[in-house]
Amino acid sequence: MKPTKPTAGPSPPSLTANPVPDSEYQRIAAEYAAAKAAYDRGADVRQRAKDIVYKRHVGRFNRAQSWLLGVFGLVILLHAAGLYLFTSGFLLTRLVLEEKSNCTTPPGVVRFESGEGTPGTVEGGCWYPRKFNRAVVLVVDALRYDFTVPFREMNGEKTPSQFHDALTFLYEAAAEKPQNALLLPFIADPPTTTLQRLKALMTGTLPTFVDAGSNFAGTAIEEDNLIAQLRDAGKRVVQLGDDTWHALFPGAFDPVLSRPYDSFNVWDLHTVDTGVATHLLPLLHPDNGTQWDVLIGHFLGVDHAGHRFGPNHPAMKSKLKQMDTLFRDVVRSIDDDTLLIVLGDHGMDAKGDHGGESDDEVQAALWMYASQPLFGRRPGQALLPPPDAKQGGVAQIDLVPTLALLLGLPVPFNNLGKPIAEAFVGPDGLGTEALARAARITAAQVRRYVGAYEKMQKLEGQMAGELDRLWEGAAGAWNASFGPQGKGGVRLGEANWKALFDAFDAYQTETVDVCRALWARFDVGRMVSGISVLVASIGLLAVYARGVTDHRIGLSPLIVKRGAAGLGAGVAAGAALAAILPISLTHIAPLLGSAGIIAGFTSALYTARSILALPLPRSLTGLASLLLPLLLALSLASNSYTVWEDRTTLFLSSTTGALLLISGLRSATPLSRARGVANAILFTALGRLSSLSRLCREEQLPLCRSTYYSAGSSAPAAWHLALPLLTAILLPSALSAALRRTDSLHHAARWYFAIALRTALLLSAFATYLEALDGALASDSPLASRFAPHADAIKALRVTAAQLALGIALCVGGAVSAFSAPFMDRGSERVDLPDAKGKMAGYMKAIVRGEGNSLGARYLPLVSAVGVAVGVTQKPLGVAAVGVLMVQILALGEGLDAGGLRNSAVGPVGLGLLGGVYFFATGHQNALAAVQWDAAFVALRGVRQPWSGLLLVGNTWGGGVVAALAVPLVALWGAGGKSVDADEGAGKGGVGKRLAKFPQLAGVAQAVATFMLSQSVVVTGAAAWAGWLRRHLMVYRVFGPRFMFGAAGMLVMDIVALLALLVVRWAFLSVGEVYRSVATQVRGCRE
Amino acid sequence: MPSSPSAPTPPAPSDFSPLPLPQPGLARLVSIAYPPLLLSAYAASFSSIIAAPAPALLTLLPLTAALQVFYAVLCLPLSAQNSNSKAQPAKAVQRKKSRHGDWIPRLSTALIALIISLSLGTAVLAITLVLFGAPITTHIPETLACAAHMALLAGVPLVYVHGVDAERWRAVAALLMPMDEVYGAAVGVLLGVWIGAIPIPLDWDREWQKWPCTIVTGAYLGWAAGKALGVGLRGKVVVV
């Protein structure tokens, strides 16, 4: 330790003004004063010179850092372009046709019986005799079929759940008056998100995957649909409830009577339902009967109760009971000319979420009611509703032709559904003729649509074959009986009608299958382009991260300049090519732009080849750091490993712990050995501890038990509530202890962790408790009645507490990171030195405390601040998990430092694995249903972008965000910086002649590059396998979601790692400021 | 991977010397014939292990223990520590002693090695298994039985030849020991166990995928392979 002192303080006041040399003493004093004044004048000049030199240092540092940021910016562009290209080829697309069905032009000749009115008119019925004038459609979001049927013992379930036998009216009515009421399982096509479901329920088409994520901002439907047909027929449509409808059908609803409500606030179980109920019942009153033709109500309470508490919760029971009462009231006011439909748009899984394609998510309920006898059962069908959703279900798109024909409207142009048989066979179940007529007119429209689609997408022949044969057969049989003009008066037997119905039904069924296969068409060209770009980025990153032997910073300007030039040239060439040739601009421009970056990057590497080496591992740790991400990437080729990824990432991160152990044991001194071993064990044990927090995905059952929520709900278990408080007590102490170990607990660090961070954590815990209290209000507990009047105040307080926690963590953490002095202090230690006579004597020696870890310690506040902010968005168990993560990161840093692995790939690779481990430990899975949408409201009362999105990102990829931000931490932990400028000079072969080397900054850049490298290996693997296995049964369930979560997560982590490389400058400059005099002296000597 | 200039240089590999090859004759014959014998014993009980892992592994435990003790006494040099000549390499010790007179210290050392391995070794290895993802609250007998087998395979010969000397055990754990048949077998057991975990998550619905069948199998196969490779790579040190 070299004693050093910071810049000199103000000089002492000089001596008296009028010196009279009347004594020896005064003469000496005067001479001293004169000399000192001269020295001080000189010191001033010297100080100014030092300042200028220091500013130049900082300028050089800034330039070096900008070039590095430029390199990573190019890498992120490559990643984004590759992911975009792959995604646009992988996610399925379907052409939207703009044709509309017309009342007067049915897809074939239509003849009505006498007394059924005139075809081609709304009064009589456009294509089919009208049965009702008006309809009430009540959507109960997430109404699963088993919510509506009586409980019976099955699958080992002996006792009814909360959701059983609460909404009993639908089943009772269907069982007592089967001719008036009909209850059926209503099977949804995945994805089971509300927006996609509403689209399908109104247009009759199949959803494609690309829409899955657009639940936030609904986009207007441009295809033909029921609402458009209703408007064309001059009907007034009133909508109450979920405002998604207005996003899908802007301007389609009666602006005076409609009452849209915000759909996304899942915390709120009652506002929407109460609103719909208060406006619905008056409208149903006979006095108001003239004000509307079709009434659409959309209840969200059941869905929100599911998201928030899960199906097996008292809140769900009371919600369903409320619906039960409401439907009983509604039925009383339904007149003979009105059709009442109650339906669920999708179901929910065991913890109340949805989006995927598990049985529980797709099995919704459909209930239709008419006050006059309407519904029949075909011969052989049971009168009672199906006991479970395994039998007798109808597809959700079947509602579209059913509703259209019953209301006398044309079937929407793009509908693929078929009429629901029970609604057409007549109360006696013998009306096969009516059913066959409905099936025929629907199938004919399907045929017309298929023809138009083929023409549009130039698919001649692809939809032909079996489809043509089926159609010819059905239409031929129809024409044989009636002639092409459909002459009337022909009487066919029951068997003939049944044969006709079966033929048209078979055609419709086959068409749906063909379309499903067709819209599962991938653009292999784009997918290959995307994968190629990603693979190239891996190669470049590998060389840049692990193959540069000298002067990484000097290499960077070359890469940035040529890469940027290549990017510009590539994009321009792409635009030109797209203008000349029939190639899609969105394909060729990103591809050639990426190719330009890759070419520029490669040529830069070639120019600097004298300082490059093959990036091959030369040691066990190097080999392991290569193998760990590679194994993870390979494992994603198997659906089993993808399903069990929470276990495989733990296995791999524990292997990192074993590497730390081995390296620690190899360390030179017993002290650092002990430190290495202790931290390796701590690292591994904490990883295993965090893995106890998990949310099982459906495929893992029954071999997995979720701990993240209490069983069958999405509320945390009671004991979890102790964890945020425990974290607030322990985590700041642990962070302080880590700094005390390196003697870095000085200046702001003394209060930042213990007071600021702890306050933020306590506020965050307080918000969690308020949330739990708010949740308890929905149940029948005694707490509920006591606090119910204050529900609004509780909610407001919770939001405020969460905002305060975020504000304190980010603002104070950011301020300390940006402005604090480094966590070092002047101190002294006793040394025994021999004096002149050779006797040992004690001296006090000046030392700088905290010098050995000045950079790492100075960077910690930022990581911890973001960690705490991420914790605010988590559930109680997730808060503790993020706390454990931060301690584990410190253990990793200590272990790497002790084992001499600071510059090896182990640290960044280990951090990448931790990002995966904590994705799962914070209750996530690579499944849409596991997204914790409610996190968007933790600190907000409604949706407010971009904050809601940021909160959701922090919740979903929180572990990865903290890990990415910690990359500089583990690269610098235990590295004492003495100045901002450690070393200068050109690299070998004249690379970077005018740039300083800054080995520590270059080390951080290397770590960031290695981190991005390990991430891109895994995500490229996920993309490649998803593309390769695109016809696999599990592509939507397993491979597709894994790719999408991985891709989004990689971009998030890329950006955070880039920001980390930027903000690490605060640590360097703060430490450098203290050492500026030393740096100047060093440089002065050199000059 | 370009190594950092600040990385401490590892201690010279020559701190310890590898074990000598077993003496030609009975010892070498046993050393060569032993792995097939033990693997056959394992293979014979494999179906019962799959049927009921914990009891079957416990049943197999005495046999493996006896064979390991027998192998150590017959084929391996006694630990330098136990023969009171710490400074001298184990090789010299073996030559000096008469061939008939030292079977009592050999047997007692082997038994002590057995006890240490079965107690301490099992505990440490069971914890390690849990840290790598073995179930914590369920399957405890299976995990313990698995760890006990690993301890027998890797631990008994190691304790027998290295004693309880801290510096030697640090070298063992730090992968600094030069390769020989004992060390190779121990490393092989750990690698075999690591690889043995890989088939578990696959959805093949096979009985043998249940915990800890693949792990124990990996331990036995890794032991045999490591023992053979340890002889082949005798004297080499892993570079970290």
Side-chain angles (χ1 to χ4, degrees):
Chain A
M1 296 263 177
K2 194 170 114 186
T4 28
K5 59 168 187 278
T7 46
S11 52
S14 58
L15 285 176
T16 51
N18 184 20
V20 184
D22 56 359
S23 78
E24 183 73 6
Y25 167 75
Q26 277 177 336
R27 192 179 53 77
I28 293 171
E31 275 175 10
Y32 173 79
K36 179 152 176 51
Y39 180 84
D40 284 351
R41 275 196 304 280
D44 236 32
V45 173
R46 281 195 296 280
Q47 190 57 46
R48 269 205 298 281
K50 281 178 189 173
D51 284 350
I52 291 168
V53 171
Y54 180 75
K55 266 187 194 137
R56 284 196 193 142
H57 282 307
V58 174
R60 273 194 295 277
F61 182 86
N62 288 344
R63 272 199 301 285
Q65 200 190 24
S66 319
W67 288 122
L68 290 174
L69 291 173
V71 172
F72 290 112
L74 286 177
V75 170
I76 293 177
L77 274 183
L78 277 185
H79 282 172
L83 291 175
Y84 162 74
L85 284 171
F86 180 83
T87 309
S88 65
F90 176 68
L91 294 185
L92 310 173
T93 44
R94 180 175 61 89
L95 281 186
V96 172
L97 303 188
E98 286 177 2
E99 279 105 324
K100 301 242 180 311
S101 288
N102 198 310
C103 189
T104 51
T105 52
V109 177
V110 178
R111 242 170 229 289
F112 288 180
E113 302 289 320
S114 57
E116 288 183 339
T118 330
T121 60
V122 177
E123 294 74 37
C126 286
W127 299 357
Y128 190 84
R130 183 180 60 74
K131 292 283 195 300
F132 296 93
N133 234 335
R134 310 195 308 162
V136 177
V137 179
L138 300 179
V139 180
V140 180
D141 212 291
L143 182 65
R144 204 163 78 186
Y145 186 68
D146 61 353
F147 291 2
T148 63
V149 288
F151 171 73
R152 53 183 195 119
E153 279 187 27
M154 55 180 292
N155 299 337
E157 271 185 73
K158 294 256 189 289
T159 50
S161 303
Q162 297 280 357
F163 59 77
H164 279 119
D165 304 325
L167 174 51
T168 55
F169 172 62
L170 306 182
Y171 187 87
E172 282 166 25
E176 281 165 18
K177 296 187 282 181
Q179 294 182 339
N180 296 82
L182 175 70
L183 176 63
L184 290 173
F186 198 38
I187 310 300
D189 289 299
T192 46
T193 45
T194 296
L195 184 125
Q196 268 66 40
R197 292 292 81 234
L198 294 186
K199 258 185 176 172
L201 281 168
M202 291 295 115
T203 61
T205 55
L206 300 171
T208 41
F209 210 64
V210 86
D211 299 332
S214 50
N215 218 341
F216 276 99
T219 41
I221 293 181
E222 289 160 3
E223 291 169 288
D224 196 9
N225 59 69
L226 275 180
I227 305 291
Q229 290 296 344
L230 284 167
R231 281 175 60 84
D232 286 353
K235 309 248 182 192
R236 272 161 307 164
V237 187
V238 174
Q239 196 274 343
L240 309 169
D242 188 343
D243 62 353
T244 312
W245 287 86
H246 292 258
L248 288 172
F249 309 101
F253 303 110
D254 188 300
V256 182
L257 296 173
S258 293
R259 291 281 182 280
Y261 291 88
D262 180 22
S263 61
F264 194 61
N265 193 346
V266 292
W267 295 92
D268 184 349
L269 303 191
H270 299 299
T271 307
V272 179
D273 289 2
T274 319
V276 175
T278 27
H279 292 101
L280 177 69
L281 292 173
L283 282 171
L284 289 173
H285 194 269
D287 294 351
N288 292 323
T290 53
Q291 302 200 17
W292 55 272
D293 296 303
V294 171
L295 228 170
I296 296 170
H298 192 136
F299 300 94
L300 289 171
V302 172
D303 181 55
H304 289 184
H307 280 303
R308 211 175 146 189
F309 304 111
N312 194 8
H313 190 277
M316 181 63 81
K317 192 173 200 80
S318 59
K319 204 72 229 176
L320 288 171
K321 281 197 166 145
Q322 179 194 356
M323 291 289 119
D324 189 74
T325 318
L326 182 71
F327 296 149
R328 287 174 201 268
D329 290 346
V330 168
V331 161
R332 269 179 230 122
S333 22
I334 296 294
D335 62 21
D336 281 358
D337 203 18
T338 307
L339 175 66
L340 171 63
I341 296 176
V342 173
L343 61 92
D345 55 345
H346 49 73
M348 59 174 71
D349 64 13
K351 55 183 192 32
D353 296 323
H354 55 87
E357 51 182 289
S358 68
D359 285 352
D360 277 346
E361 288 166 276
V362 301
Q363 291 168 347
L366 171 69
W367 186 75
M368 302 212 274
Y369 175 88
S371 54
Q372 54 186 354
L374 173 77
F375 303 106
R377 306 294 184 277
R378 299 185 63 203
Q381 257 188 310
L383 271 180
L384 280 179
D388 60 52
K390 298 271 183 294
Q391 38 195 312
V394 295
Q396 292 204 341
I397 49 174
D398 294 351
L399 182 72
V400 175
T402 307
L403 202 53
L405 296 179
L406 289 176
L407 289 175
L409 299 170
V411 176
F413 190 81
N414 28 244
N415 164 62
L416 293 174
K418 60 183 171 190
I420 295 171
E422 286 85 343
F424 292 91
V425 288
D428 55 2
L430 296 173
T432 316
E433 175 181 352
L435 178 60
R437 285 179 183 278
R440 176 237 168 193
I441 202 73
T442 310
Q445 176 53 41
V446 169
R447 174 78 181 164
R448 188 149 77 172
Y449 169 68
V450 169
Y453 194 89
E454 275 184 315
K455 218 154 94 195
M456 193 70 176
Q457 213 175 29
K458 305 182 185 71
L459 290 172
E460 274 83 341
Q462 290 207 27
M463 289 167 127
E466 179 68 5
L467 273 191
D468 279 350
R469 199 186 56 73
L470 282 171
W471 175 254
E472 299 303 340
W478 180 272
N479 288 342
S481 307
F482 302 99
Q485 296 309 309
K487 53 180 187 286
V490 181
R491 287 272 160 251
L492 294 181
E494 183 75 12
N496 299 48
W497 281 116
K498 185 168 180 318
L500 279 172
F501 166 74
D502 287 344
F504 285 113
D505 192 59
Y507 170 75
Q508 186 274 344
T509 309
E510 178 69 14
T511 309
V512 173
D513 287 348
V514 168
C515 287
R516 221 185 281 274
L518 189 71
W519 291 329
R521 255 162 52 99
F522 302 90
D523 189 334
V524 179
R526 280 172 179 257
M527 285 160 64
V528 171
S529 304
I531 301 268
S532 311
V533 170
L534 290 175
V535 168
S537 83
I538 290 178
L540 296 174
L541 264 179
V543 175
Y544 187 72
R546 311 306 315 172
V548 179
T549 57
D550 187 30
H551 212 349
R552 193 181 310 276
I553 289 169
L555 170 64
S556 305
L558 218 54
I559 295 174
V560 174
K561 286 174 192 160
R562 297 196 190 167
L567 170 68
V571 171
L577 272 182
I580 305 164
L581 300 170
I583 317 172
S584 162
L585 176 72
T586 56
H587 183 181
I588 197 76
L591 179 62
L592 287 186
S594 309
I597 296 179
I598 294 163
F601 206 129
T602 313
S603 88
L605 292 180
Y606 183 76
T607 307
R609 63 191 178 282
S610 61
I611 62 162
L612 297 183
L614 268 185
L616 295 176
R618 290 181 191 82
S619 62
L620 181 72
T621 45
L623 185 70
S625 336
L626 174 69
L627 277 182
L628 294 177
L630 211 58
L631 274 177
L632 188 57
L634 284 178
S635 78
L636 298 179
S638 145
N639 54 316
S640 312
Y641 289 123
T642 312
V643 164
W644 289 97
E645 200 186 336
D646 55 341
R647 301 288 101 176
T648 59
T649 46
L650 172 71
F651 185 69
L652 297 176
S653 90
S654 291
T655 307
T656 316
L659 289 177
L660 288 182
L661 182 78
I662 293 172
S663 310
L665 281 168
R666 290 194 160 204
S667 185
T669 67
L671 195 66
S672 72
R673 255 177 248 156
R675 192 154 68 89
V677 171
N679 281 293
I681 293 173
L682 182 65
F683 174 86
T684 320
L686 288 177
R688 184 69 178 98
L689 178 71
S690 75
S691 77
L692 295 178
S693 156
R694 68 197 297 204
L695 173 77
C696 305
R697 58 188 288 164
E698 201 212 350
E699 294 85 351
Q700 289 178 320
L701 301 175
L703 297 171
C704 170
R705 210 168 54 82
S706 293
T707 53
Y708 205 68
Y709 304 108
S710 60
S713 79
S714 54
W719 70 269
H720 291 176
L721 294 178
L723 292 174
L725 196 62
L726 212 61
T727 311
I729 295 167
L730 294 180
L731 181 64
S733 307
L735 297 174
S736 299
L739 288 191
R740 199 172 297 121
R741 215 274 308 151
T742 63
D743 200 3
S744 304
L745 203 61
H746 307 292
H747 299 296
R750 291 163 64 102
W751 55 265
Y752 170 68
F753 298 103
I755 296 171
L757 214 57
R758 187 167 276 143
T759 310
L761 282 165
L762 284 172
L763 279 167
S764 162
F766 183 53
T768 312
Y769 297 145
L770 288 174
E771 182 202 322
L773 181 62
D774 194 27
L777 294 188
S779 62
D780 330 315
S781 63
L783 262 181
S785 48
R786 196 156 152 210
F787 283 99
H790 312 296
D792 282 340
I794 291 173
K795 204 171 289 181
L797 202 59
R798 171 177 64 75
V799 171
T800 312
Q803 281 174 348
L804 268 178
L806 277 175
I808 291 176
L810 292 177
C811 296
V812 180
V816 165
S817 303
F819 304 118
S820 167
F823 303 153
M824 298 151 73
D825 201 4
R826 272 176 288 179
S828 56
E829 66 181 13
R830 193 189 153 90
V831 285
D832 286 333
L833 291 171
D835 62 9
K837 289 172 194 157
K839 253 174 75 182
M840 296 300 278
Y843 292 90
M844 294 308 281
K845 181 187 164 198
I847 57 164
V848 180
R849 303 172 64 187
E851 193 178 34
N853 186 27
S854 56
L855 290 169
R858 184 61 179 67
Y859 188 69
L860 182 62
L862 194 68
V863 178
S864 56
V866 172
V868 170
V870 161
V872 173
T873 67
Q874 305 290 346
K875 303 268 188 291
L877 205 50
V879 177
V882 176
V884 172
L885 169 64
M886 280 190 269
V887 181
Q888 210 184 351
I889 286 174
L890 285 174
L892 179 65
E894 285 277 334
L896 292 171
D897 182 37
L901 291 175
R902 197 178 303 124
N903 289 338
S904 87
V906 177
V909 167
L911 281 175
L913 290 172
L914 286 188
V917 168
Y918 284 87
F919 175 75
F920 299 109
T922 51
H924 296 95
Q925 278 291 349
N926 290 306
L928 213 54
V931 176
Q932 297 168 19
W933 298 105
D934 51 358
F937 298 96
V938 168
L940 294 169
R941 309 199 96 194
V943 181
R944 210 174 317 150
Q945 299 297 6
W947 310 115
S948 303
L950 277 177
L951 288 170
L952 206 54
V953 166
N955 172 279
T956 307
W957 292 287
V961 165
V962 176
L965 199 66
V967 170
L969 186 82
V970 299
L972 292 174
W973 193 259
K978 288 231 171 180
S979 76
V980 282
D981 182 21
D983 191 3
E984 284 180 60
K988 280 185 286 180
V991 174
K993 258 179 248 165
R994 291 199 300 274
L995 282 165
K997 278 190 180 170
F998 297 116
Q1000 286 182 322
L1001 180 65
V1004 173
Q1006 183 183 26
V1008 168
T1010 312
F1011 179 79
M1012 287 187 180
L1013 175 65
S1014 74
Q1015 292 297 308
S1016 52
V1017 166
V1018 176
V1019 172
T1020 307
W1025 301 127
W1028 185 255
L1029 299 168
R1030 61 192 180 277
R1031 298 285 177 210
H1032 194 282
L1033 192 65
M1034 293 284 179
V1035 73
Y1036 287 142
R1037 237 176 144 125
V1038 175
F1039 300 111
R1042 175 63 184 87
F1043 161 71
M1044 293 201 301
F1045 278 93
M1050 175 166 90
L1051 287 179
V1052 168
M1053 281 180 242
D1054 271 359
I1055 291 168
V1056 174
L1058 185 82
L1059 289 176
L1061 180 62
L1062 174 69
V1063 294
V1064 78
R1065 63 181 287 110
W1066 290 335
F1068 277 106
L1069 293 181
S1070 152
V1071 173
E1073 180 75 19
V1074 166
Y1075 284 109
R1076 60 196 287 178
S1077 55
V1078 180
T1080 321
Q1081 279 159 17
V1082 171
R1083 185 166 168 82
C1085 291
R1086 198 174 290 156
E1087 282 166 350
Chain B
M1 216 115 313
S3 63
S4 72
S6 63
T9 47
S14 59
D15 281 3
F16 305 98
S17 52
L19 295 180
L21 294 173
Q23 303 268 312
L26 183 64
R28 186 165 291 181
L29 196 70
V30 168
S31 174
I32 291 169
Y34 175 45
L37 182 74
L38 184 55
L39 284 189
S40 314
Y42 179 73
S45 56
F46 188 64
S47 55
S48 59
I49 291 176
I50 288 171
L57 285 175
L58 279 183
T59 314
L60 185 63
L61 209 60
L63 179 66
T64 309
L67 286 175
Q68 282 290 80
V69 167
F70 180 67
Y71 157 71
V73 168
L74 213 60
C75 306
L76 299 178
L78 203 52
S79 87
Q81 206 180 28
N82 285 338
S83 56
N84 290 329
S85 52
K86 205 171 175 180
Q88 281 177 312
K91 201 174 175 178
V93 178
Q94 199 194 27
R95 284 208 185 122
K96 275 179 196 164
K97 295 270 172 173
S98 75
R99 292 200 55 156
H100 304 287
D102 62 349
W103 66 272
I104 291 179
R106 282 176 169 273
L107 194 61
S108 59
T109 307
L111 288 177
I112 290 169
L114 181 70
I115 292 167
I116 291 178
S117 299
L118 271 185
S119 53
L120 200 64
T122 305
V124 168
L125 288 168
I127 291 171
T128 309
L129 287 177
V130 167
L131 286 181
F132 274 74
I136 293 180
T137 50
T138 60
H139 298 82
I140 295 169
E142 283 86 352
T143 307
L144 283 175
C146 174
H149 276 267
M150 289 167 64
L152 285 185
L153 291 174
V156 171
L158 273 179
V159 180
Y160 183 82
V161 300
H162 295 305
V164 288
D165 178 46
E167 200 49 28
R168 283 179 164 265
W169 274 92
R170 177 175 83 82
V172 167
L175 280 180
L176 280 174
M177 271 289 162
M179 274 298 155
D180 52 45
E181 64 176 290
V182 167
Y183 195 49
V187 173
V189 166
L190 293 181
L191 271 181
V193 163
W194 195 89
I195 293 169
I198 289 176
I200 296 178
L202 289 167
D203 58 351
W204 296 344
D205 294 330
R206 298 300 155 94
E207 272 299 297
W208 54 260
Q209 283 179 294
K210 80 163 98 152
W211 181 258
C213 300
T214 57
I215 304 285
V216 185
T217 309
Y220 272 83
L221 292 178
W223 168 80
K227 188 168 173 302
L229 278 175
V231 175
L233 299 172
R234 193 170 160 271
K236 296 234 170 13
V237 177
V238 181
V239 185
V240 171

